[in-house]
Coordinates of all heavy atoms in Angstrom, one line a residue:
M1 N 92.9 65.8 155.8 CA 92.4 67.0 155.2 C 91.4 66.6 154.1 O 91.7 65.6 153.3 CB 93.5 67.8 154.6 CG 94.4 68.5 155.5 SD 95.5 69.5 154.6 CE 96.9 69.3 155.7
A2 N 90.4 67.3 153.9 CA 89.4 67.1 152.9 C 89.6 68.0 151.7 O 90.0 69.2 151.9 CB 88.0 67.2 153.4
H3 N 89.2 67.6 150.5 CA 89.1 68.5 149.4 C 88.1 69.6 149.6 O 87.2 69.4 150.4 CB 88.8 67.7 148.1 CG 90.0 66.8 147.7 ND1 91.1 67.3 147.0 CD2 90.1 65.5 147.8 CE1 91.9 66.3 146.8 NE2 91.3 65.2 147.2
L4 N 88.2 70.7 148.9 CA 87.3 71.7 149.0 C 85.9 71.2 148.5 O 85.9 70.6 147.4 CB 87.7 72.9 148.1 CG 88.9 73.7 148.6 CD1 89.3 74.7 147.6 CD2 88.6 74.4 149.9
P5 N 84.8 71.5 149.1 CA 83.5 71.2 148.6 C 83.3 71.9 147.3 O 83.9 73.0 147.0 CB 82.5 71.7 149.7 CG 83.4 71.8 150.9 CD 84.8 72.1 150.5
A6 N 82.4 71.3 146.4 CA 82.2 71.9 145.1 C 81.7 73.3 145.2 O 82.0 74.1 144.3 CB 81.2 71.0 144.3
S7 N 81.0 73.7 146.2 CA 80.5 75.0 146.3 C 81.5 76.1 146.8 O 81.2 77.3 146.7 CB 79.3 75.0 147.3 OG 79.7 74.7 148.6
I8 N 82.7 75.7 147.2 CA 83.7 76.6 147.7 C 84.8 76.6 146.7 O 85.3 75.6 146.2 CB 84.2 76.2 149.0 CG1 83.1 76.2 150.1 CG2 85.4 77.1 149.5 CD1 83.5 75.7 151.4
T9 N 85.2 77.8 146.3 CA 86.4 77.9 145.3 C 87.5 78.7 146.0 O 87.2 79.5 146.8 CB 86.0 78.6 144.0 OG1 85.5 79.9 144.3 CG2 85.0 77.7 143.3
I10 N 88.7 78.4 145.6 CA 89.8 79.2 146.1 C 89.9 80.5 145.3 O 89.2 80.7 144.3 CB 91.1 78.4 146.0 CG1 91.5 78.1 144.6 CG2 91.1 77.2 146.9 CD1 92.9 77.5 144.5
E11 N 90.7 81.4 145.8 CA 90.8 82.7 145.1 C 91.3 82.5 143.7 O 91.9 81.6 143.3 CB 91.8 83.6 145.9 CG 93.2 83.1 145.9 CD 94.1 83.9 146.8 OE1 94.6 84.9 146.4 OE2 94.3 83.4 148.0
K12 N 91.0 83.5 142.9 CA 91.5 83.6 141.5 C 92.9 84.2 141.6 O 93.0 85.3 142.0 CB 90.5 84.4 140.7 CG 91.0 84.6 139.3 CD 90.2 83.6 138.4 CE 90.5 84.0 137.0 NZ 90.7 82.8 136.2
F13 N 93.9 83.4 141.2 CA 95.2 83.9 141.3 C 95.5 84.8 140.1 O 95.0 84.6 139.0 CB 96.2 82.8 141.3 CG 96.1 81.9 142.5 CD1 95.7 80.6 142.4 CD2 96.3 82.4 143.8 CE1 95.5 79.7 143.5 CE2 96.1 81.5 144.9 CZ 95.7 80.2 144.7
P14 N 96.3 85.9 140.3 CA 96.7 86.8 139.2 C 97.4 86.0 138.1 O 98.2 85.0 138.4 CB 97.6 87.8 139.9 CG 97.3 87.7 141.3 CD 96.9 86.3 141.6
T15 N 97.1 86.3 136.9 CA 97.7 85.7 135.7 C 99.2 85.7 135.8 O 99.9 84.7 135.5 CB 97.2 86.3 134.4 OG1 95.8 86.3 134.4 CG2 97.8 85.7 133.2
T16 N 99.8 86.8 136.3 CA 101.3 86.9 136.4 C 101.8 85.8 137.3 O 102.8 85.2 137.1 CB 101.7 88.2 136.8 OG1 101.1 88.6 138.0 CG2 101.4 89.3 135.7
E17 N 101.1 85.6 138.4 CA 101.6 84.6 139.4 C 101.5 83.2 138.8 O 102.4 82.3 139.0 CB 100.8 84.6 140.7 CG 101.1 85.9 141.5 CD 100.3 85.9 142.8 OE1 99.8 84.9 143.3 OE2 100.3 87.0 143.4
L18 N 100.4 82.9 138.1 CA 100.2 81.6 137.5 C 101.3 81.4 136.4 O 101.9 80.3 136.3 CB 98.8 81.4 136.9 CG 97.7 81.4 137.8 CD1 96.4 81.4 137.0 CD2 97.8 80.2 138.7
A19 N 101.6 82.4 135.6 CA 102.6 82.3 134.6 C 104.0 82.1 135.2 O 104.8 81.3 134.7 CB 102.6 83.6 133.7
E20 N 104.2 82.8 136.3 CA 105.5 82.6 137.0 C 105.7 81.2 137.5 O 106.8 80.6 137.4 CB 105.7 83.6 138.1 CG 105.9 85.0 137.6 CD 105.9 86.1 138.6 OE1 105.7 85.8 139.8 OE2 106.0 87.3 138.3
L21 N 104.6 80.7 138.1 CA 104.7 79.3 138.6 C 104.9 78.3 137.5 O 105.7 77.4 137.6 CB 103.3 78.9 139.4 CG 103.2 77.5 139.8 CD1 104.3 77.1 140.8 CD2 101.8 77.3 140.4
R22 N 104.2 78.5 136.4 CA 104.4 77.6 135.3 C 105.8 77.7 134.7 O 106.4 76.6 134.5 CB 103.4 77.9 134.1 CG 103.6 77.1 132.9 CD 102.7 77.4 131.8 NE 101.4 76.9 132.1 CZ 100.3 77.2 131.5 NH1 100.3 78.0 130.5 NH2 99.1 76.7 131.9
E23 N 106.3 78.8 134.6 CA 107.7 79.0 134.1 C 108.7 78.3 135.0 O 109.6 77.7 134.6 CB 108.0 80.5 134.0 CG 109.3 80.8 133.3 CD 109.4 80.4 131.9 OE1 108.4 80.3 131.2 OE2 110.6 80.1 131.4
E24 N 108.5 78.5 136.3 CA 109.4 77.8 137.3 C 109.3 76.3 137.2 O 110.3 75.6 137.2 CB 109.0 78.3 138.7 CG 110.1 77.9 139.7 CD 109.8 78.5 141.1 OE1 109.0 79.5 141.2 OE2 110.5 78.1 142.0
L25 N 108.1 75.8 137.0 CA 107.9 74.3 136.9 C 108.6 73.8 135.6 O 109.2 72.8 135.6 CB 106.4 74.0 136.8 CG 105.7 74.1 138.1 CD1 104.2 74.1 137.9 CD2 106.1 73.0 139.1
L26 N 108.5 74.6 134.5 CA 109.1 74.2 133.2 C 110.6 74.3 133.3 O 111.3 73.5 132.7 CB 108.5 75.0 132.1 CG 107.1 74.7 131.7 CD1 106.6 75.8 130.7 CD2 106.9 73.3 131.1
Q27 N 111.1 75.3 133.9 CA 112.6 75.6 133.8 C 113.4 74.8 134.8 O 114.5 74.6 134.7 CB 112.8 77.1 134.1 CG 112.3 78.0 133.0 CD 112.9 77.7 131.6 OE1 114.1 77.5 131.5 NE2 112.0 77.7 130.6
A28 N 112.7 74.4 135.9 CA 113.5 73.7 137.0 C 113.9 72.3 136.7 O 114.8 71.8 137.4 CB 112.6 73.8 138.3
G29 N 113.3 71.6 135.8 CA 113.6 70.2 135.5 C 113.3 69.3 136.6 O 114.1 68.4 136.9
L30 N 112.2 69.5 137.3 CA 111.8 68.7 138.4 C 111.0 67.5 138.0 O 110.4 67.5 137.0 CB 111.0 69.5 139.4 CG 111.6 70.8 139.9 CD1 110.6 71.6 140.6 CD2 112.8 70.6 140.7
D31 N 111.0 66.4 138.8 CA 110.1 65.3 138.6 C 108.8 65.7 139.1 O 108.6 66.7 139.7 CB 110.7 64.0 139.2 CG 110.8 64.0 140.7 OD1 110.0 64.7 141.4 OD2 111.6 63.2 141.2
S32 N 107.8 64.8 138.9 CA 106.4 65.1 139.3 C 106.3 65.3 140.8 O 105.5 66.2 141.2 CB 105.4 64.1 138.8 OG 105.7 62.8 139.4
R33 N 107.0 64.6 141.6 CA 106.9 64.8 143.1 C 107.5 66.1 143.5 O 106.9 66.8 144.3 CB 107.6 63.6 143.8 CG 107.4 63.6 145.3 CD 106.0 63.7 145.7 NE 105.5 62.4 146.0 CZ 104.2 62.2 146.4 NH1 103.4 63.2 146.5 NH2 103.8 61.0 146.6
Q34 N 108.6 66.5 142.9 CA 109.2 67.8 143.2 C 108.4 68.9 142.7 O 108.2 69.9 143.4 CB 110.6 67.9 142.6 CG 111.6 66.9 143.2 CD 112.9 66.8 142.4 OE1 112.8 66.8 141.1 NE2 114.0 66.7 143.1
S35 N 107.8 68.7 141.6 CA 106.8 69.8 141.0 C 105.6 69.9 141.9 O 105.2 71.0 142.2 CB 106.4 69.4 139.6 OG 107.5 69.4 138.7
A36 N 105.1 68.8 142.5 CA 104.0 68.8 143.4 C 104.4 69.6 144.6 O 103.6 70.4 145.2 CB 103.5 67.4 143.7
E37 N 105.6 69.5 145.1 CA 106.1 70.2 146.3 C 106.1 71.7 146.0 O 105.8 72.5 146.8 CB 107.5 69.7 146.7 CG 107.5 68.4 147.4 CD 106.8 68.4 148.8 OE1 106.7 69.5 149.4 OE2 106.4 67.3 149.2
L38 N 106.5 72.1 144.7 CA 106.6 73.5 144.3 C 105.1 74.0 144.3 O 104.9 75.1 144.8 CB 107.2 73.6 143.0 CG 107.4 75.0 142.5 CD1 108.3 75.8 143.4 CD2 108.1 75.0 141.1
I39 N 104.2 73.3 143.8 CA 102.8 73.7 143.9 C 102.3 73.8 145.3 O 101.6 74.8 145.6 CB 101.9 72.7 143.1 CG1 102.2 72.8 141.6 CG2 100.4 72.9 143.3 CD1 101.6 71.7 140.7
R40 N 102.7 72.9 146.2 CA 102.4 72.9 147.6 C 102.9 74.2 148.2 O 102.1 75.0 148.9 CB 102.9 71.8 148.4 CG 102.5 71.8 149.8 CD 103.4 70.8 150.7 NE 104.8 71.1 150.6 CZ 105.5 72.1 151.2 NH1 104.8 72.9 151.9 NH2 106.8 72.2 151.0
S41 N 104.1 74.6 147.9 CA 104.6 75.8 148.4 C 103.9 77.1 147.9 O 103.6 78.0 148.7 CB 106.1 76.0 148.0 OG 106.9 75.0 148.6
F42 N 103.5 77.1 146.6 CA 102.8 78.2 146.0 C 101.4 78.3 146.8 O 101.0 79.4 147.1 CB 102.5 77.8 144.5 CG 101.7 78.9 143.8 CD1 102.2 80.0 143.3 CD2 100.3 78.7 143.7 CE1 101.5 80.9 142.6 CE2 99.5 79.6 143.0 CZ 100.1 80.7 142.5
L43 N 100.7 77.2 147.0 CA 99.4 77.3 147.7 C 99.6 77.6 149.2 O 98.8 78.3 149.7 CB 98.7 76.0 147.4 CG 98.1 75.8 146.0 CD1 97.6 74.4 145.8 CD2 97.1 76.9 145.6
T44 N 100.6 77.0 149.8 CA 100.8 77.2 151.2 C 101.0 78.7 151.6 O 100.5 79.2 152.5 CB 101.9 76.3 151.8 OG1 101.6 75.0 151.5 CG2 102.1 76.5 153.3
I45 N 101.8 79.3 150.8 CA 102.1 80.7 151.0 C 100.8 81.6 150.9 O 100.7 82.6 151.6 CB 103.1 81.2 149.9 CG1 104.5 80.7 150.2 CG2 103.2 82.8 149.8 CD1 105.5 80.8 149.1
R46 N 99.9 81.1 150.1 CA 98.6 81.8 150.0 C 97.5 81.3 150.9 O 96.3 81.6 150.8 CB 98.2 81.7 148.5 CG 99.1 82.5 147.6 CD 99.2 82.0 146.2 NE 100.1 82.8 145.4 CZ 101.4 82.7 145.4 NH1 102.0 81.7 146.1 NH2 102.2 83.4 144.7
G47 N 97.9 80.4 151.9 CA 97.0 80.0 152.9 C 96.2 78.7 152.6 O 95.2 78.4 153.3
Y48 N 96.6 77.9 151.7 CA 96.0 76.7 151.3 C 96.9 75.5 151.5 O 98.1 75.6 151.5 CB 95.5 76.7 149.9 CG 94.6 77.8 149.5 CD1 95.1 79.0 148.9 CD2 93.2 77.7 149.8 CE1 94.2 80.0 148.6 CE2 92.4 78.7 149.4 CZ 92.9 79.9 148.9 OH 92.0 80.9 148.6
G49 N 96.3 74.3 151.7 CA 97.1 73.1 151.7 C 96.9 72.5 150.4 O 96.4 73.1 149.5
V50 N 97.5 71.3 150.2 CA 97.4 70.7 148.9 C 97.5 69.2 149.1 O 98.1 68.7 150.0 CB 98.6 71.1 148.0 CG1 99.9 70.7 148.5 CG2 98.4 70.7 146.6
C51 N 96.8 68.5 148.3 CA 96.8 67.0 148.2 C 98.0 66.7 147.3 O 97.9 66.9 146.1 CB 95.5 66.4 147.7 SG 95.6 64.7 147.5
L52 N 99.1 66.2 147.8 CA 100.3 66.0 147.0 C 100.1 65.0 146.0 O 100.7 65.1 144.8 CB 101.5 65.7 147.9 CG 102.1 66.8 148.6 CD1 103.3 66.4 149.5 CD2 102.6 67.9 147.7
D53 N 99.3 63.9 146.3 CA 99.1 62.9 145.2 C 98.3 63.5 144.0 O 98.7 63.2 142.9 CB 98.3 61.7 145.8 CG 99.1 60.9 146.8 OD1 100.3 60.9 146.7 OD2 98.5 60.2 147.6
E54 N 97.3 64.3 144.3 CA 96.6 64.9 143.2 C 97.5 65.9 142.4 O 97.4 66.0 141.2 CB 95.3 65.6 143.7 CG 94.3 64.7 144.2 CD 93.8 63.8 143.1 OE1 93.5 64.3 142.0 OE2 93.6 62.6 143.4
A55 N 98.3 66.7 143.2 CA 99.2 67.6 142.5 C 100.2 66.9 141.6 O 100.5 67.3 140.5 CB 99.9 68.5 143.5
S56 N 100.7 65.7 142.1 CA 101.7 64.9 141.3 C 101.0 64.4 140.0 O 101.6 64.4 139.0 CB 102.2 63.7 142.1 OG 103.0 64.2 143.1
K57 N 99.7 64.0 140.2 CA 99.0 63.5 139.0 C 98.8 64.6 138.0 O 98.9 64.4 136.8 CB 97.6 62.9 139.4 CG 97.8 61.6 140.2 CD 96.4 61.1 140.6 CE 96.5 60.0 141.6 NZ 95.2 59.6 142.1
A58 N 98.4 65.8 138.5 CA 98.2 66.9 137.6 C 99.5 67.3 136.8 O 99.4 67.6 135.6 CB 97.7 68.1 138.4
V59 N 100.6 67.3 137.5 CA 101.9 67.6 136.9 C 102.2 66.5 135.9 O 102.6 66.8 134.7 CB 103.0 67.8 137.9 CG1 104.4 67.9 137.2 CG2 102.8 69.0 138.8
A60 N 102.1 65.2 136.2 CA 102.4 64.1 135.4 C 101.6 64.1 134.1 O 102.0 63.7 133.0 CB 102.3 62.8 136.1
S61 N 100.3 64.6 134.2 CA 99.4 64.6 133.0 C 99.5 65.9 132.3 O 98.8 66.2 131.4 CB 98.0 64.4 133.5 OG 97.5 65.4 134.2
N62 N 100.5 66.8 132.7 CA 100.7 68.1 132.1 C 99.6 69.1 132.3 O 99.6 70.1 131.5 CB 101.1 67.9 130.6 CG 102.4 67.2 130.5 OD1 103.4 67.4 131.2 ND2 102.5 66.3 129.5
E63 N 98.7 68.9 133.2 CA 97.6 69.8 133.4 C 98.0 71.2 133.8 O 97.4 72.2 133.5 CB 96.6 69.3 134.5 CG 95.8 68.1 134.0 CD 94.9 67.6 135.1 OE1 94.3 68.5 135.8 OE2 94.7 66.4 135.2
V64 N 99.1 71.3 134.5 CA 99.6 72.7 134.9 C 100.7 73.2 134.1 O 101.0 74.4 134.2 CB 100.1 72.6 136.4 CG1 98.9 72.3 137.3 CG2 101.2 71.7 136.6
L65 N 101.2 72.4 133.2 CA 102.4 72.9 132.4 C 102.0 73.4 131.0 O 102.7 74.3 130.5 CB 103.4 71.7 132.2 CG 104.0 71.1 133.5 CD1 104.9 69.9 133.1 CD2 104.7 72.2 134.3
F66 N 100.9 73.0 130.5 CA 100.5 73.4 129.1 C 99.1 73.8 129.1 O 98.3 73.4 130.0 CB 100.8 72.2 128.2 CG 102.3 71.8 128.2 CD1 102.6 70.6 128.8 CD2 103.3 72.5 127.7 CE1 103.9 70.1 128.9 CE2 104.6 72.1 127.7 CZ 104.9 70.9 128.4
G67 N 98.7 74.5 128.1 CA 97.3 74.9 128.0 C 97.1 76.3 128.6 O 98.0 76.9 129.1
P68 N 95.9 76.7 128.5 CA 95.6 78.1 129.1 C 95.8 78.2 130.6 O 95.6 77.2 131.3 CB 94.1 78.3 128.7 CG 93.5 76.9 128.5 CD 94.7 76.1 128.0
L69 N 96.1 79.4 131.0 CA 96.3 79.6 132.5 C 95.0 79.3 133.2 O 95.0 78.9 134.4 CB 96.8 81.0 132.7 CG 98.2 81.2 132.3 CD1 98.6 82.7 132.5 CD2 99.2 80.3 133.0
Q70 N 93.8 79.5 132.6 CA 92.5 79.1 133.3 C 92.5 77.7 133.7 O 92.0 77.3 134.7 CB 91.3 79.5 132.4 CG 90.0 79.1 133.0 CD 89.7 79.8 134.3 OE1 90.1 80.9 134.5 NE2 89.1 79.1 135.2
R71 N 93.1 76.8 132.8 CA 93.1 75.4 133.1 C 94.0 75.2 134.3 O 93.7 74.3 135.2 CB 93.6 74.6 131.9 CG 93.7 73.1 132.2 CD 92.4 72.5 132.3 NE 92.5 71.1 132.4 CZ 91.8 70.3 133.1 NH1 90.9 70.8 133.9 NH2 92.1 69.0 133.2
M72 N 95.1 75.9 134.4 CA 96.0 75.8 135.6 C 95.3 76.3 136.9 O 95.4 75.6 137.9 CB 97.2 76.7 135.3 CG 98.3 76.5 136.4 SD 99.7 77.5 135.9 CE 100.9 76.8 137.1
Q73 N 94.5 77.3 136.8 CA 93.7 77.8 137.9 C 92.8 76.7 138.4 O 92.7 76.4 139.5 CB 92.9 79.1 137.5 CG 91.9 79.5 138.5 CD 92.5 80.2 139.8 OE1 93.6 80.8 139.7 NE2 91.9 80.0 140.9
E74 N 92.1 76.1 137.4 CA 91.1 75.0 137.7 C 91.8 73.8 138.4 O 91.3 73.2 139.4 CB 90.4 74.6 136.5 CG 89.5 75.6 135.9 CD 89.1 75.3 134.5 OE1 89.4 74.3 133.9 OE2 88.3 76.1 133.9
T75 N 93.0 73.5 138.0 CA 93.8 72.4 138.5 C 94.2 72.8 140.0 O 94.1 71.9 140.9 CB 95.0 72.1 137.7 OG1 94.6 71.7 136.4 CG2 95.8 71.0 138.3
L76 N 94.6 74.0 140.2 CA 95.0 74.4 141.6 C 93.8 74.3 142.5 O 93.9 73.9 143.6 CB 95.6 75.8 141.6 CG 97.0 75.9 140.9 CD1 97.4 77.4 140.9 CD2 98.0 75.1 141.6
E77 N 92.6 74.7 142.0 CA 91.4 74.6 142.8 C 91.1 73.2 143.1 O 90.6 72.9 144.2 CB 90.2 75.2 142.0 CG 90.2 76.7 141.9 CD 89.1 77.3 141.0 OE1 88.1 76.5 140.8 OE2 89.2 78.4 140.6
R78 N 91.4 72.3 142.2 CA 91.1 70.9 142.5 C 92.0 70.2 143.5 O 91.6 69.4 144.3 CB 91.2 70.1 141.1 CG 90.6 68.7 141.3 CD 90.7 67.8 140.0 NE 92.1 67.4 139.8 CZ 92.9 67.7 138.8 NH1 92.4 68.5 137.9 NH2 94.1 67.3 138.8
V79 N 93.3 70.6 143.5 CA 94.3 70.0 144.4 C 94.4 70.7 145.7 O 95.0 70.2 146.7 CB 95.7 69.9 143.8 CG1 95.6 69.1 142.4 CG2 96.3 71.2 143.5
A80 N 93.8 71.9 145.8 CA 93.9 72.7 147.1 C 93.0 72.1 148.2 O 91.9 71.5 147.8 CB 93.5 74.2 146.9
V81 N 93.4 72.2 149.4 CA 92.6 71.7 150.5 C 92.5 72.8 151.6 O 93.4 73.7 151.7 CB 93.2 70.4 151.2 CG1 93.1 69.2 150.2 CG2 94.6 70.6 151.6
L82 N 91.5 72.8 152.3 CA 91.3 73.8 153.4 C 92.3 73.5 154.5 O 92.6 72.3 154.9 CB 89.9 73.7 154.0 CG 88.8 74.2 153.1 CD1 87.4 73.9 153.7 CD2 88.9 75.7 152.8
M83 N 92.8 74.5 155.1 CA 93.8 74.4 156.2 C 93.1 74.5 157.5 O 92.2 75.2 157.6 CB 94.9 75.4 156.1 CG 95.7 75.3 154.8 SD 97.0 74.1 154.8 CE 98.1 74.6 156.1

């Protein structure tokens, strides 16, 4: 699977969905691989694949856990892959 080309972006997820995903990631006490699987599930339900290595790196560096939800959206765009 290839990453999305720079000219293609995934949908803008509702703020409530991003906040719920973040809350679940923070409350579940998961390691970075398990958190990447949760992100994979979130994206798969919405019709996208995910690069698990990139998702694990994003979680490990706290890109999806802290900061503005816009940053989380950008991270999801980066780790999503076309199905």
Side-chain angles (χ1 to χ4, degrees):
M1 286 187 219
H3 288 283
L4 292 171
S7 62
I8 298 175
T9 58
I10 64 172
E11 67 188 273
K12 178 100 171 140
F13 299 114
T15 303
T16 54
E17 289 182 16
L18 293 175
E20 288 170 3
L21 175 60
R22 177 180 286 166
E23 186 65 24
E24 191 170 349
L25 289 165
L26 289 170
Q27 296 298 319
L30 306 173
D31 64 26
S32 63
R33 185 54 95 183
Q34 293 168 319
S35 295
E37 287 289 340
L38 186 58
I39 291 169
R40 181 195 57 78
S41 294
F42 178 87
L43 290 171
T44 299
I45 289 168
R46 289 153 182 85
Y48 301 96
V50 67
C51 175
L52 285 178
D53 289 338
E54 290 299 315
S56 291
K57 290 177 191 174
V59 171
S61 69
N62 294 321
E63 290 181 36
V64 296
L65 299 177
F66 305 104
L69 291 176
Q70 177 58 35
R71 179 71 174 139
M72 186 177 194
Q73 172 74 32
E74 293 165 1
T75 299
L76 292 176
E77 288 177 17
R78 191 180 78 244
V79 303
V81 293
L82 293 172
M83 299 281 295

